[in-house]
Amino acid sequence: MVEIELDGQKVEIAEGCMVMHAAEKAGTYIPHFCYHKKLSIAANCRMCLVEVEKAPKPMPACATPVTQGMVVRTKSDKAIQAQKSVMEFLLINHPLDCPICDQGGECQLQDLAVGYGGTSSRYEEEKRVVFHKDVGPLISMEEMSRCIHCTRCVRFGQEVAGVMELGMIHRGEHSEITTVTGDTIDSELSGNMIDICPVGALTSKPFRYSARTWELSRRKSISPHDSTGANLVVQVKNHKVMRVLPFENEDVNECWIADRDRFSYEALNSAERLTRPMLKQGGVWSEVDWQTALEYIANGLQQIKKDHGANKIGALVSPHSTLEELYLARALVQGLGSNNIDYRLRNAEFATQHGVNWLGCSIASLSALQSVLVVGSNLRKDHPLFAQRVRQAARKGAVVTAIDSVVRDWAMPVAHTLVAQSNAWVQALADVAAAVAQAKGVVAPQPQGQAGEVAQAIAQALLSGERKAVLLGNAAAHHAQASNLLALAQWIGENTGATVGYLTEAANTVGAQWVGAMPTAEGLNAAQMLAGGLRCALLLNTEPQWDSAVGAQAVAALGKVDMVITMSPFKANMEFSDVLLPIAPFTETSGSFINAEGRVQSFHAVVKPLGETRPGWKILRVLGNLLGLSNFDFETSQEILTKAVNVPSGGLLDMSTRRVQAQTLTSPAQAGEPVVASIYQLDGIVRRAASLQLTVDARLASGEVPA
């Protein structure tokens, strides 16, 4: 440790740290633009100039290493004058368009100009002009004359997103930030560039000119998309979601969010929202009141149970639903005497499960891995924030390896990829297990593997180092031999010291398992229900055409079911449904999600429900009451949460008691490619976000753009 004196205060800081780090530790603010705690040091802006005793001139706090006994003054006349001089230079070419700038009210340059700017300018020449650039549907670069060349956006692309999509060309007053080749910005984390831009050069294209920042209310929430459980700040005006930003949580999403977390809010205000209950009679849809719709459903359920038995009633539920909704959906189905409930619509195998498939380690620990094997995942697109963590580890020297059907671009160094068709993944993982067994002198598991060159390299990577993991992706979870893959992965983990877990697909995949949104031995699984095993189907927040492994076949099968009840925020499943109930999306209801690491995160409604929309848990509770079922007397979502998990929001579930045990290996089976949703087709909200559907990733998935 090194001790320095900062504005008369003694500060101890690790050797190698900068003066800026010491100031942060001491709680002293030094003005800056280019410095960002998550990015490398560039020392571009010089706004952080401070006086260092015995130094001939002011020094940049962000790029000056601490030394024993150093004396630093951040508020001396010399420091303040240097900072004011830098501000004058920064403002020379800056356009005077604060009244129309989207960054107004949250602009670092605007804030610091108040304290360090002059009352008038000595500069009489014409200001420079930088032409705008079209970089895609998410980021606006219309006013690049505002750019102060801090290069935060450039460094973010290189260091966090892993793709240098922006760069700075030319020198002096001709410098400008551009995509260089004139391409679009296509990173799945690109929206974070808007947040870190200290001026109004990069702004949100969907939000552009729609509200002033000081008009917006700010409310915390949780992302309903992938299993990170990113913490959000939802900004609201006149009971309408206007913008979504990250809420910093180092244990979960740090200060970043993926683009689908940021821009999917557009769907919440779309014309596809369902605002009143609807009944289909004689093939014609008509709006009805809630009482009529709920009584129709209750009578229909009772009649089907009487005529065909309770085992002909089932529920297909989405793992993007809240924990409370899933808990009550299971209670409703079981209360009727059925065990037909399942969230695993995209799965091809439905082995009996007695535990919970989860990440196997904390999310934060992914950044510190020394070796990781990822099986069956397009990590970068399936889990952008997990990929960002693994990318951090790779930058520190971690060996990243993969088993997949193709070599994928994860925007990070991947040391080895064992390429095999999906129906040969079990054999590929068995080859790695054989290489581990060979290295350790133990008996390899069945099926017998062949320790090829790539398998040996992967095994060697897993055998070295202390912090390592084997992670099974969405394609591995949906695989026809998923239990075999898990068994082999667990054997490898036990023999290499690696943790083993799933990069779970959805916001509440772990929650769905925890509350038992799966059939017991005598119940029908999702595949059986979608094959026509039901007389009455309850669809909670899911669209089987897009969310299931069988797609169009599901539509055909559900079209033959006597009664289909769809509970959705959108006008979904109208082709085969008989009743549509408008349930609140995550912004209009309270609820909880359990992320991949088992962290329970609760949230409240941030806006009023649209039209006659109601929270899903309240609708299920009322249905339970109409059907005369017991234990449906909950008054709040918090009561349901306590009943379901009894863990406070922010707490971690004890997975040690619910960990999935290795399955008995079965004989290899032939099957098609596992069904995995593309990045912007994951759930109903993302599918209806207009700007996201204009991105290259979305167009590639639809076949509009050649791969």
Side-chain angles (χ1 to χ4, degrees):
M1 298 294 284
V2 172
E3 184 178 86
I4 72 168
E5 183 182 310
L6 185 81
D7 293 336
Q9 178 184 354
K10 298 291 186 183
V11 182
E12 276 198 357
I13 192 80
E15 189 174 356
C17 289
M18 303 297 159
V19 170
M20 184 70 83
H21 301 139
E24 287 180 340
K25 184 176 181 180
T28 299
Y29 178 73
I30 298 175
H32 60 274
F33 294 111
C34 68
Y35 172 77
H36 189 281
K37 64 182 180 181
K38 294 290 184 180
L39 303 177
S40 63
I41 291 167
N44 286 347
C45 71
R46 318 307 279 186
M47 191 64 210
C48 64
L49 291 176
V50 294
E51 181 183 357
V52 178
E53 195 174 85
K54 297 181 183 178
K57 59 183 181 180
M59 304 292 286
C62 69
T64 302
V66 295
T67 57
Q68 182 62 38
M70 175 186 278
V71 177
V72 180
R73 301 182 184 93
T74 69
K75 297 177 175 61
S76 66
D77 290 342
K78 186 176 181 179
I80 296 296
Q81 188 54 51
Q83 292 161 1
K84 286 185 175 182
S85 297
V86 171
M87 178 58 70
E88 183 177 19
F89 282 120
L90 289 172
L91 293 177
I92 277 175
N93 276 309
H94 200 77
L96 300 175
D97 58 356
C98 293
I100 65 159
C101 179
D102 270 343
Q103 195 85 346
E106 56 186 16
C107 172
Q108 278 182 261
L109 184 65
Q110 197 176 54
D111 293 343
L112 292 178
V114 174
Y116 299 91
T119 56
S120 61
S121 175
R122 295 183 287 174
Y123 190 74
E124 296 179 353
E125 289 75 14
E126 289 184 2
K127 291 177 180 284
R128 79 176 194 145
V129 174
V130 180
F131 289 109
H132 68 270
K133 300 156 181 72
D134 184 1
V135 294
L138 305 180
I139 298 178
S140 172
M141 294 180 74
E142 291 290 318
E143 290 90 9
M144 289 307 292
S145 297
R146 299 170 182 164
C147 179
I148 62 171
H149 307 141
C150 70
T151 68
R152 282 185 177 182
C153 54
V154 178
R155 285 175 285 145
F156 173 84
Q158 287 177 295
E159 299 164 17
V160 180
V163 184
M164 187 179 173
E165 294 179 299
L166 290 175
M168 188 161 71
I169 60 173
H170 307 312
R171 300 186 70 180
E173 71 170 7
H174 302 293
S175 300
E176 61 176 289
I177 299 291
T178 178
T179 55
V180 184
T181 58
D183 296 330
T184 53
I185 297 174
D186 301 319
S187 166
E188 59 285 348
L189 298 171
S190 65
N192 294 291
M193 294 180 185
I194 300 167
D195 294 338
I196 63 176
C197 180
V199 294
L202 303 182
T203 55
S204 167
K205 193 171 276 189
F207 176 70
R208 186 172 167 80
Y209 293 153
S210 60
R212 307 302 294 180
T213 58
W214 53 84
E215 298 173 323
L216 303 173
S217 300
R218 291 161 173 78
R219 293 153 192 179
K220 289 174 62 177
S221 192
I222 304 296
S223 169
H225 306 306
D226 66 37
S227 59
T228 308
N231 289 210
L232 310 176
V233 174
V234 181
Q235 299 191 334
V236 175
K237 179 183 177 184
N238 296 332
H239 302 294
K240 182 180 178 181
V241 176
M242 304 299 293
R243 187 165 65 162
V244 174
L245 301 175
F247 183 84
E248 186 170 349
N249 185 332
E250 281 295 313
D251 292 333
V252 181
N253 56 295
E254 299 178 86
C255 56
W256 317 119
I257 53 174
D259 285 351
R260 65 180 167 205
D261 302 326
R262 183 183 302 272
F263 297 107
S264 64
Y265 73 87
E266 285 185 294
L268 306 175
N269 308 316
S270 74
E272 290 191 58
R273 281 295 301 272
L274 178 66
T275 57
R276 293 196 66 193
M278 298 181 74
L279 283 181
K280 182 164 65 178
Q281 294 176 313
V284 178
W285 284 102
S286 59
E287 293 184 341
V288 296
D289 58 64
W290 272 104
Q291 189 70 22
T292 301
L294 292 173
E295 287 181 356
Y296 177 88
I297 292 169
N299 292 336
L301 286 169
Q302 289 170 330
Q303 191 63 47
I304 288 169
K305 180 180 178 180
K306 179 181 176 183
D307 294 346
H308 304 287
N311 62 349
K312 290 297 181 181
I313 298 171
L316 294 161
V317 297
S318 168
H320 300 278
S321 302
T322 67
L323 191 75
E324 293 80 359
E325 290 165 351
L326 294 170
Y327 178 85
L328 288 183
R330 189 208 67 182
L332 181 75
V333 170
Q334 291 185 341
L336 288 166
S338 171
N339 282 299
N340 306 330
I341 181 170
D342 210 345
Y343 77 91
R344 301 167 295 177
L345 277 74
R346 292 192 178 103
N347 283 31
E349 184 200 68
F350 300 87
T352 303
Q353 188 172 316
H354 303 291
V356 175
N357 293 330
W358 66 297
L359 188 60
C361 60
S362 69
I363 290 173
S365 69
L366 295 177
S367 306
L369 290 174
Q370 295 172 318
S371 177
V372 57
L373 168 61
V374 181
V375 182
S377 174
N378 186 359
L379 183 64
R380 177 181 168 190
K381 302 301 182 182
D382 293 347
H383 301 90
L385 292 173
F386 289 170
Q388 185 273 132
R389 294 271 193 181
V390 176
R391 192 173 295 121
Q392 286 183 41
R395 284 174 60 84
K396 299 170 192 170
V399 180
V400 181
T401 57
I403 294 176
D404 209 337
S405 52
V406 294
V407 176
R408 301 185 187 273
D409 176 14
W410 289 349
M412 71 179 84
V414 178
H416 308 283
T417 300
L418 185 49
V419 179
Q421 292 301 309
S422 60
N423 59 8
W425 285 355
V426 170
Q427 188 60 54
L429 202 54
D431 291 348
V432 176
V436 171
Q438 188 180 92
K440 295 199 69 178
V442 296
V443 177
Q446 293 296 322
Q448 191 67 43
Q450 299 294 321
E453 185 178 343
V454 178
Q456 287 182 354
I458 293 173
Q460 192 57 48
L462 288 172
L463 285 165
S464 58
E466 296 178 0
R467 300 182 298 277
K468 43 212 173 180
V470 179
L471 301 174
L472 302 169
N474 294 349
H478 302 162
H479 199 275
Q481 300 175 69
S483 58
N484 290 19
L485 290 173
L486 175 61
L488 283 166
Q490 288 182 331
W491 186 94
I492 292 169
E494 289 165 6
N495 284 276
T496 62
T499 62
V500 178
Y502 278 90
L503 297 158
T504 55
E505 180 182 44
N508 220 7
T509 299
V510 172
Q513 297 172 77
W514 192 272
V515 300
M518 298 175 289
T520 54
E522 64 272 17
L524 300 179
N525 61 46
Q528 292 166 329
M529 286 189 269
L530 288 171
L534 300 177
R535 289 283 186 164
C536 176
L538 172 66
L539 306 181
L540 175 61
N541 205 22
T542 188
E543 299 166 78
Q545 180 176 359
W546 313 110
D547 294 334
S548 75
V550 291
Q553 296 174 38
V555 175
L558 289 168
K560 300 174 184 176
V561 174
D562 294 350
M563 184 167 75
V564 178
I565 305 151
T566 290
M567 298 174 64
S568 172
F570 304 103
K571 295 173 183 175
N573 305 331
M574 296 185 78
E575 180 182 344
F576 52 80
S577 293
D578 299 286
V579 193
L580 296 181
L581 299 181
I583 65 169
F586 76 107
T587 52
E588 299 170 19
T589 184
S590 58
S592 308
F593 295 131
I594 302 177
N595 70 4
E597 67 177 348
R599 186 180 299 273
V600 180
Q601 297 187 108
S602 298
F603 53 91
H604 298 286
V606 299
V607 292
K608 291 180 179 177
L610 187 65
E612 293 185 26
T613 299
R614 297 289 181 268
W617 68 267
K618 288 188 177 181
I619 298 169
L620 290 164
R621 182 198 63 188
V622 172
L623 273 175
N625 292 335
L626 286 174
L627 291 165
L629 305 180
S630 57
N631 299 320
F632 273 80
D633 53 354
F634 301 104
E635 293 296 324
T636 65
S637 60
Q638 182 61 45
E639 289 181 21
I640 307 172
L641 176 65
T642 302
K643 181 77 172 177
V645 300
N646 197 25
V647 172
S649 181
L652 290 166
L653 297 174
D654 180 8
M655 293 296 184
S656 62
T657 60
R658 302 282 287 272
R659 184 68 186 271
V660 170
Q661 299 302 309
Q663 306 284 332
T664 302
L665 291 174
T666 58
S667 58
Q670 299 297 315
E673 284 287 320
V675 176
V676 178
S678 62
I679 184 170
Y680 298 132
Q681 290 292 321
L682 183 61
D683 58 75
I685 296 177
V686 168
R687 284 194 287 269
R688 292 172 174 84
S691 294
L692 291 177
Q693 296 308 317
L694 295 174
T695 61
V696 168
D697 276 328
R699 289 157 55 210
L700 276 171
S702 66
E704 185 181 331
V705 177

